[in-house]
Amino acid sequence: MVRPIGFLVGLGFVGVLLWSLLWGAVAYVKEPPVPTAEHEFHEHPKKVDFSFNGPLGKFDRGQLQRGFQVYKEVCAACHSLRLVTFRDLQGIGYTEGQTKTLASEWAVETPTINEETGEPATRKSIPADRIPAPFANEIAARAGNAGALPPDLSLIAKARHDGSNYVYSLLTGYQNQPAELLKQFPDSKTGAGLHYNPYFANLNLAMAPPLTSEGQVSYSDGTKPTVDQMSKDVAAFLTWTAEPKLENRHSTGLAVLAFLLIFTVLTYMAYQNIWRDKKH
Amino acid sequence: MSFPWAEQYAPKHPFMRYMDEKLPLPRLVYNAIGAGYPVPRNLNYFWNFGVLAGAALAIQLITGIVLAMHYAANGAVAFDSVEHIMRDVNSGWMLRYAHANGASMFFIVVYLHIFRGLYYGSYKAPREMVWLLGLVIFLLMMATAFMGYVLPWGQMSFWGAKVITGLFGAIPLVGEPIQTWLLGGFAPDNAALNRFFSLHYLLPFVILGVVILHIWALHIPGSSNPTGVDVKGPQDTVPFHPYYTAKDGFGLGVFLIIFAALLFFAPNLLGHPDNYIPANPLSTPAHIVPEWYFWPFYAILRAFTVDFILPAKLWGVVAMFASILLLFFLPWLDKSPVRSGSYRPTFRKFFWLLMIDVAILGYCGGAPAEEPFVMISQIAAAYYFAHFLIIIPIISRIERPLPLPNSITEAVLSKSGKTTGEAALAPAE
Amino acid sequence: MATLETTGPAEAAPSEEGVRRRDFINIAAVSFAGVGAAAVALPLINQMNPSADVLALASIEVDVSQIQPGQAIKTIFRKQPLFVRHLTPQEIKEADAVPLDSLRDPQTLEERTKAGKTQWLITMGVCTHLGCVPLGAAEGEVKGEFGGYFCPCHGSHYDTAARIRKGPAPTNLEVPEYNFTSDTVVQVG
C-alpha cells in the first residue's frame, strides 16, 4: 500500500513542480528579468590589510584611539554608539582616569531626572555610563537628518557583510554617478539630498561624505590624517566596538587548538593501540 | 546485548554489587555503551557520528543552560541582553559563540549521521524503529533550532519568526487563527518571544528522552555495519568498550578541532549579518534566509510558484513538510533485501545524484528568490520527491545487487588480505 | 594471507616494556580528556561571577556638601542602601561617652570614621541581623532608643555611631571601604 500511494504522491509533487517550472520558463522568456542599477553597479568592499585580520590578528591600540577620535569629532554628531560604555574605552588603551575625563567632558550629557522636580535633566557622565546618543530618540534623529535615520554604529562592523572593509570602502567610496550608469538606467539619477556611493546597497545614501579633507581631525601621534587614514582608523575602531573580545578570542582559540591537537594525536594513538590485534 | 556472547557485567567491589542489586544503573551503562555491547568489528568512521551527535547535544544543553542565566526574553531587552552576554558577562562571548556554532555543528553531525543511514541502509528491517525515532529527533531539533534563532531578537530572528509562522497561515480556514495562536498576537512580539524561549528550553530535554529511546531501539538488533550483513558469531563483533570508545574518542578530538576553529576564528561565518541589527517590525531585510541547515527545505518551500487546484503557498508548505515526512516511510518504500549501498550499484548512482541534488537545493535555498535559482530549485525539488517516492521503489525491485560476503569477518579479512575484494567475494555467490 | 587466529593476541604478545608504553598512551589520552573537561568547567563556573557592568558600579562617588549636621542621606551602593550621616557635636559626644566594654561589638566612633572627619558616619543600611533596612536616616523616621538607627524587623537599636546596643543584631552596621577624594566628595568602594 505504501508504495502505490507514495508513487501517486510523488507523481503529484513532480507534476506540480514541473508545471511551476514551465510557467516560470515561459515568464522568463516573455519578460526576462530586467537588470537593475543596484545589481550592475554595486561593488564589494575593498580589502584593507587590518592588523586584526587573520587568526593571529591583534588590534593596533594607536589606531583604535585615532579611530575613536574620528568617531568623537565627526561621526558622534549624528551616530550613537549605544552599546559602548566609557569604561570600555580602557580596552583601547585609555587609563581609568582618562575614561573619567572623557566621560565628564563628552559633548552630550547622560539623561537623568531632576532630583527635586522630577523633570527630565542631564548630568555629566561617569565611566559606567554608556556613551550618550546625539539624539534623544529616533524621531529626533530623523527630524535632525531630513528624515533619514543615522544607524547606531556599535555593531555596524558585524551587521554588514565584510563589515570592517565595508566601513572603510563606504567612507572612501563617494563619487559622481558614472555616466555609463545614467546611460543604462536614465531613471536612476541620484535624488536630491542623496549621495552616490557604489558600496552602499542601493547606491544612494542620505549621509553626505563625512570625511572630506585632510586634517579634518588632528592626530596627536604624528600620523598624517588623510581621508584614507581616517577612514581606516574609524573602521578599525568600529570593528573593536562590534567585537571587543576579538584579541581574547584569538589567543584563547590558539591555546584551545593546541590542546586539542595534542589530545587528538593521543586519542589516535590510543585507538591504534587498542585495535592493534584486531583487523577491521 | 542481544548476542549470547556479550560480556557479562560482574561487579567485584562490594559497593558495586550492592548498587547492582538496588539500582542496576552501572549495569545499564555497561550494557549500553560499555564492554557488554558487542558491535560489528568492521564499522568505518561514518559510525562515529552517533556518538558525536550526542556530544553536540551535551554541548548545546550545557552552554544553553548557562546562557539562560543571563538572557532576558522580552522584546525590549532581548537584543541588549545578548550583547550584555557578549560584552560584560565573564567568558560570555565564548559561551554564546559556542552555543550558536554548536547548533551548526550539531546539524553537520546529524546530517552525516543521516547520510550514513541512507547509504548503508540502516533504516531497513530490523532497525526501522531506530530510523523512525531518529527522524523524530531531527524534527525536534529543527523546531528547537528555529526557536533558538528567534531569541537574539535581531532582524533575521524577527522576520524568520514571521515567515515561518506565516507558513501555518497557508492552511485553509484554520490557518490564520493558528498563526495568531502560535504567536499570541498578530506579529511576533513579547508573547511569541517568551513562549519560544520556554519551548527552546524544554525541547532539548525531550530530544534527550527520544535519544535514549533511539539508543534503546538500536540495542535490540544491535548496530548495523558497512557490509549490511548480519552478525553471525562472536568473531564478527568486538565489545563497544574499549574498542569503539577509543575510536569515538579520536572522532571527538577531530570534531572539537573543527568546532574550535569555527568558534574562535570564524564565529559569524555561518550567521547572517542582519541579525546584529535589532528587530524592526517596520523594515524587512533585503532577503530573508533561514540558517544554512534549513536551506534545502526552504528551497522546496519556494519552488512552488503556480496555483494548481491549491494555492502555490499551500503547495510549498505541504511539500516542505512532506519532504521530511516521506522519510518516515522509507523503510517500506525501499524493499531491497540488501542493506548496504556498497552492494547496490544502481541504488548507489541514484544515491549520489540525490546528494548532489540536496546540495543544489541547499545552495538555491540560501540564494535570493530570483531566476535562475527558482527554476533550478524546481528541478531539484522534483528530483528529490521522485527519488524517494518513484525511483527507490522501482530500483529496489529491479536492481541486481552485487554478491554479499558470507560474514563480516570474511569481508574484513578479504579487504586486508592480498587478494582483491572482487576475487575474495566470488565464492559467496 | 592473514587469518583471525594469527592476528590474535598471540602475535601481539608484547614485551614488558611494550605494555607499559602502550598503557601510557591510553592513560595519557584519558588524562588529557580530564584536563580538558576541567578547563572547560572554569568559564562555565566563572560566568556566574559579577559581570563587568555590575563591577563598574561597585565603586561610587557621593557628594556630601548638601548634608547639614543632624541630617542623613540614603543612597545606593552595590544595589544596597548606604547611609551617609552628618553627626552633630552632641551626637559625637554621646557616642564617645559610651564605655567600650558595655558594647556587644566594641568599636569607638574614631575607628568607624576617617581621621579629622569624625562627623561623617558612613555605613551600609543593612541590619546585621537578617538584612532589613534600619530606620533613622530619613527625616522623621524613628531613630530608636539610642538616637541612631532602629531596625523594625526584629527590634535592633543602633546608637549615633551605628553600633548595636539592643536587640538581636550581632554586630555594628558595616562601614564600607571609602575615602574622601576632596572635602565634600567621598568615593565608596
Side-chain angles (χ1 to χ4, degrees):
Chain A
M1 262 319 266
V2 170
R3 283 186 286 171
I5 294 173
F7 194 81
L8 290 174
V9 171
L11 280 182
F13 280 125
V14 171
V16 176
L17 279 164
L18 294 180
W19 187 244
S20 289
L21 175 66
L22 182 71
W23 281 98
V26 167
Y28 189 77
V29 173
K30 268 195 189 158
E31 297 166 42
V34 193
T36 59
E38 294 95 68
H39 199 269
E40 302 287 309
F41 286 87
H42 180 254
E43 283 178 43
H44 286 289
K46 295 177 267 190
K47 299 282 170 228
V48 183
D49 187 23
F50 286 113
S51 64
F52 48 78
N53 288 346
L56 293 166
K58 282 190 175 339
F59 288 120
D60 170 352
R61 291 284 178 288
Q63 183 176 41
L64 294 184
Q65 294 193 6
R66 292 196 302 272
F68 170 64
Q69 198 187 342
V70 176
Y71 168 74
K72 184 180 155 195
E73 292 177 21
V74 183
C75 319
C78 302
H79 291 277
S80 57
L81 206 55
R82 64 181 193 91
L83 296 171
V84 181
T85 61
F86 287 104
R87 67 181 158 82
D88 286 334
L89 294 173
Q90 285 186 46
I92 63 171
Y94 289 114
T95 63
E96 199 183 333
Q98 283 171 310
T99 62
K100 211 177 251 180
T101 316
L102 280 167
S104 64
E105 288 173 359
W106 196 257
V108 185
E109 293 198 322
T110 296
T112 180
I113 47 167
N114 186 309
E115 292 283 338
E116 271 116 47
T117 62
E119 299 282 320
T122 60
R123 61 165 171 80
K124 287 200 182 307
S125 303
I126 57 167
D129 287 323
R130 292 178 171 205
I131 295 181
F135 297 103
N137 50 51
E138 188 183 325
I139 297 167
R142 283 189 190 280
N145 289 282
L149 177 70
D152 181 79
L153 295 182
S154 326
L155 282 167
I156 206 81
K158 286 202 291 194
R160 299 287 182 274
H161 277 291
D162 200 7
S164 312
N165 291 332
Y166 171 82
V167 171
Y168 165 79
S169 304
L170 192 81
L171 290 173
T172 53
Y174 286 92
Q175 52 190 263
N176 291 325
Q177 226 174 0
E180 206 187 324
L181 187 151
L182 286 175
K183 210 165 72 185
Q184 246 178 290
F185 305 99
D187 294 341
S188 298
K189 190 158 170 47
T190 300
L194 296 178
H195 307 270
Y196 182 80
N197 193 323
Y199 299 99
F200 192 66
N202 69 10
L203 305 180
N204 300 299
L205 79 163
M207 175 170 73
L211 299 173
T212 47
S213 59
E214 190 168 322
Q216 199 169 341
V217 168
S218 34
Y219 287 147
S220 59
D221 65 353
T223 309
K224 206 169 164 212
T226 59
V227 171
D228 191 76
Q229 184 64 43
M230 290 187 289
S231 306
K232 266 182 198 156
D233 292 347
V234 81
F237 172 69
L238 292 176
T239 306
W240 173 80
T241 63
E243 187 80 357
K245 301 292 163 67
L246 178 138
E247 290 182 347
N248 210 337
R249 174 156 69 72
H250 284 175
S251 55
T252 313
L254 283 179
V256 169
L257 276 187
F259 176 88
L260 284 175
L261 276 175
I262 300 171
F263 171 71
T264 307
V265 168
L266 280 175
T267 50
Y268 184 75
M269 287 162 73
Y271 161 47
Q272 293 299 325
N273 174 32
I274 283 164
W275 281 81
R276 67 187 180 275
D277 53 3
K278 280 273 183 223
K279 284 249 180 298
H280 60 287
Chain B
M1 189 152 103
S2 51
F3 300 120
W5 59 86
E7 286 182 34
Q8 293 301 311
Y9 179 62
K12 288 196 189 70
H13 195 275
F15 175 75
M16 295 308 278
R17 275 207 293 273
Y18 172 83
M19 267 302 278
D20 195 39
E21 213 172 278
K22 305 296 176 190
L23 178 71
L25 185 64
R27 174 181 292 273
L28 182 77
V29 173
Y30 182 89
N31 287 334
I33 52 168
Y37 179 43
V39 187
R41 61 191 291 191
N42 61 334
L43 302 189
N44 59 32
Y45 282 115
F46 278 113
W47 266 259
N48 278 58
F49 292 106
V51 165
L52 293 182
L57 176 62
I59 291 172
Q60 290 307 86
L61 280 169
I62 293 168
T63 52
I65 288 169
V66 160
L67 287 169
M69 295 180 187
H70 303 280
Y71 172 76
N74 179 299
V77 292
F79 186 90
D80 285 10
S81 77
V82 172
E83 278 307 314
H84 165 68
I85 292 170
M86 292 295 287
R87 287 159 194 270
D88 289 334
V89 172
N90 300 301
S91 311
W93 60 270
M94 198 194 314
L95 298 167
R96 192 221 159 196
Y97 277 152
H99 197 67
N101 287 292
S104 285
M105 291 303 290
F106 198 178
F107 272 95
I108 291 171
V109 164
V110 162
Y111 280 139
L112 287 166
H113 193 55
I114 296 174
F115 168 92
R116 195 285 315 278
L118 283 175
Y119 182 81
Y120 291 109
S122 306
Y123 51 85
K124 287 173 182 254
R127 296 180 188 82
E128 310 96 302
M129 190 50 74
V130 187
W131 173 255
L132 298 181
L133 289 166
L135 288 171
V136 171
I137 294 170
F138 180 50
L139 285 175
L140 287 168
M141 273 176 70
M142 293 175 96
T144 310
F146 158 67
M147 288 188 282
Y149 196 53
V150 175
L151 301 185
W153 211 235
Q155 274 288 67
M156 279 297 164
S157 301
F158 180 89
W159 291 98
K162 189 149 187 171
V163 168
I164 298 299
T165 54
L167 297 181
F168 292 90
I171 303 167
L173 298 175
V174 291
E176 254 176 72
I178 287 181
Q179 186 188 351
T180 314
W181 173 76
L182 280 173
L183 290 174
F186 306 101
D189 201 358
N190 285 337
L193 186 56
N194 246 314
R195 68 191 59 181
F196 282 9
F197 181 49
S198 169
L199 293 172
H200 182 73
Y201 206 119
L202 168 72
L203 288 188
F205 295 96
V206 179
I207 292 177
L208 190 62
V210 185
V211 165
I212 291 169
L213 298 183
H214 185 68
I215 298 172
W216 187 7
L218 171 72
H219 280 64
I220 306 296
S223 298
S224 181
N225 70 85
T227 64
V229 174
D230 285 329
V231 168
K232 301 235 164 61
Q235 73 282 2
D236 287 345
T237 66
V238 293
F240 189 86
H241 179 75
Y243 287 94
Y244 285 107
T245 40
K247 193 174 181 180
D248 285 327
F250 170 58
L252 185 66
V254 176
F255 167 85
L256 289 176
I257 286 177
I258 297 167
F259 180 39
L262 204 53
L263 194 172
F264 291 106
F265 299 108
N268 294 308
L269 179 72
L270 299 171
H272 197 290
D274 279 11
N275 227 25
Y276 281 110
I277 303 171
N280 180 357
L282 300 180
S283 145
T284 311
H287 58 267
I288 303 173
V289 284
E291 289 278 80
W292 69 268
Y293 35 79
F294 293 133
W295 286 354
F297 305 103
Y298 195 56
I300 291 176
L301 173 79
R302 292 194 303 189
F304 292 82
T305 50
V306 175
D307 294 351
F308 181 79
I309 306 171
L310 302 175
K313 184 179 172 189
L314 183 57
W315 271 111
V317 174
V318 169
M320 187 179 76
F321 285 108
S323 68
I324 299 164
L325 292 181
L326 63 83
L327 296 174
F328 280 90
F329 297 95
L330 188 57
W332 296 277
L333 289 167
D334 181 1
K335 288 305 259 190
S336 170
V338 177
R339 293 195 190 100
S340 170
S342 301
Y343 301 96
R344 301 181 62 189
T346 320
F347 168 85
R348 200 162 58 212
K349 287 191 194 91
F350 284 101
F351 174 83
W352 287 114
L353 199 54
L354 177 74
M355 291 303 114
I356 296 166
D357 185 67
V358 171
I360 291 170
L361 277 175
Y363 184 81
C364 292
E370 302 166 352
E371 298 299 357
F373 302 117
V374 176
M375 287 200 273
I376 294 172
S377 57
Q378 282 162 344
I379 298 167
Y383 179 76
Y384 181 91
F385 287 106
H387 178 90
F388 285 108
L389 296 172
I390 300 170
I391 296 170
I392 287 280
I394 292 175
I395 54 175
S396 68
R397 189 165 285 224
I398 61 170
E399 178 180 48
R400 193 163 169 275
L402 297 177
L404 290 171
N406 283 323
S407 72
I408 291 170
T409 303
E410 187 193 281
V412 169
L413 295 182
S414 70
K415 192 177 70 179
S416 54
K418 288 183 185 67
T419 48
T420 64
E422 205 72 33
L425 289 169
E429 199 163 22
Chain C
M1 185 172 147
T3 67
L4 189 65
E5 284 66 36
T6 60
T7 59
E11 183 207 57
S15 66
E16 277 299 300
E17 198 193 2
V19 168
R20 242 180 271 133
R21 187 183 67 82
R22 283 164 169 166
D23 286 351
F24 168 75
I25 289 166
N26 298 356
I27 292 164
V30 173
S31 327
F32 245 68
V35 171
V40 167
L42 283 180
L44 292 174
I45 294 166
N46 190 34
Q47 53 85 19
M48 280 171 64
N49 276 319
S51 56
D53 55 328
V54 172
L55 292 176
L57 290 171
S59 155
I60 57 161
E61 283 186 351
V62 185
D63 180 2
V64 297
S65 58
Q66 302 300 315
I67 309 171
Q68 300 306 317
Q71 282 186 334
I73 59 159
K74 259 193 239 185
T75 178
I76 291 175
F77 172 60
R78 293 183 182 167
K79 299 279 167 181
Q80 299 178 89
L82 178 79
F83 294 160
V84 181
R85 186 162 179 158
H86 196 167
L87 299 176
T88 58
Q90 174 65 24
E91 285 171 329
I92 296 172
K93 215 182 288 168
E94 270 174 38
D96 287 342
V98 181
L100 266 195
D101 49 12
S102 74
L103 292 172
R104 188 177 300 165
D105 182 10
Q107 263 183 324
T108 62
L109 180 63
E110 277 66 37
E111 285 166 358
R112 294 171 61 73
T113 51
K114 297 287 171 198
K117 301 272 187 193
T118 330
Q119 74 274 32
W120 293 110
L121 177 68
I122 300 176
T123 61
M124 299 304 297
V126 179
C127 181
T128 54
H129 178 221
L130 290 170
C132 296
V133 181
L135 302 173
E139 209 67 48
E141 278 181 0
V142 187
K143 291 188 172 181
E145 291 174 21
F146 300 89
Y149 300 108
F150 169 66
C151 180
C153 291
H154 304 92
S156 292
H157 297 259
Y158 297 87
D159 66 11
T160 51
R163 294 175 296 197
I164 180 66
R165 297 292 289 275
K166 186 179 172 190
T171 55
N172 303 334
L173 286 187
E174 188 198 337
V175 177
E177 247 177 65
Y178 70 91
N179 56 296
F180 281 84
T181 52
S182 75
D183 267 357
T184 54
V185 178
V186 189
Q187 186 182 340
V188 189

